[in-house]
Amino acid sequence: MSFMNAGVSIDLEERFTKDELLTNIMIYWVTETINSSIRIYYEMAHAMPSPNRGQRSKVPAAVAHMPLDAPLPREWLNAM
């Protein structure tokens, strides 16, 4: 099983054991919280574009990217 993120293929079974994957899936399934956990992603995907989209922010910002985190898109760096 693999997952595509920002054009980079990630093999889930290399990163997580099947037990870890099943545990995470079961937590959402048994507690019936999958809808509330993905709601923000759905809303952001269907939101009206911001009038300031594509412009640099004047507010200082930073991103903490840890060694085992998924790769971040290069566009995010350019947008900061």
Side-chain angles (χ1 to χ4, degrees):
M1 179 188 310
S2 67
F3 176 73
M4 290 297 291
N5 183 16
V8 178
S9 179
I10 300 169
D11 190 6
L12 289 177
E13 292 178 12
E14 285 182 16
R15 183 136 181 190
F16 305 104
T17 66
K18 288 183 181 179
D19 188 49
E20 290 172 325
L21 290 171
L22 186 58
T23 298
N24 280 311
I25 292 168
M26 289 300 295
I27 287 171
Y28 286 113
W29 187 356
V30 172
T31 60
E32 298 179 4
T33 56
I34 190 66
N35 291 333
S36 61
S37 68
I38 63 171
R39 181 177 177 174
I40 187 70
Y41 301 107
Y42 176 84
E43 288 179 359
M44 293 302 291
H46 293 87
M48 295 293 291
S50 168
N52 298 331
R53 186 175 183 140
Q55 296 178 1
R56 281 187 168 269
S57 171
K58 294 179 171 111
V59 177
V63 174
H65 188 245
M66 302 301 150
L68 296 178
D69 286 350
L72 296 175
R74 185 76 182 164
E75 298 84 36
W76 289 11
L77 176 64
N78 296 334
M80 291 186 131

